[in-house]
Amino acid sequence: TSYDVSKFILRYVTPGCWAFVRAVISAFLLCLFFGHLFLKLKVQRRDVLFIFFLGSIGVFVNQLSFF
């Protein structure tokens, strides 16, 4: 189960680091899954990086708020 996996991983990794890894993996999977929907949008490269940066910070702060 996911509980057993989490307990095993948390022996070696801090909870904050584990939350960050989970957020990065889920963001990557969501980008793969929904990426084709957003290819039609015309967004500048610097805006994409800025949105990614802000989204990463938001998810990380959200996960940290549970501790």
Side-chain angles (χ1 to χ4, degrees), residues 12-65:
Y12 307 104
V13 179
T14 64
C17 182
W18 178 237
F20 182 74
V21 169
R22 286 176 39 208
V24 168
I25 290 171
S26 63
F28 178 72
L29 291 175
L30 284 172
C31 284
L32 286 178
F33 188 70
F34 291 111
H36 68 282
L37 297 175
F38 298 108
L39 289 177
K40 297 175 186 174
L41 297 175
K42 302 297 181 196
V43 181
Q44 294 180 1
R45 178 174 293 236
R46 65 181 175 91
D47 292 337
V48 171
L49 293 175
F50 185 65
I51 291 169
F52 177 77
F53 176 71
L54 290 179
S56 299
I57 289 175
V59 170
F60 185 65
V61 169
N62 181 355
Q63 291 296 318
L64 284 180
S65 69

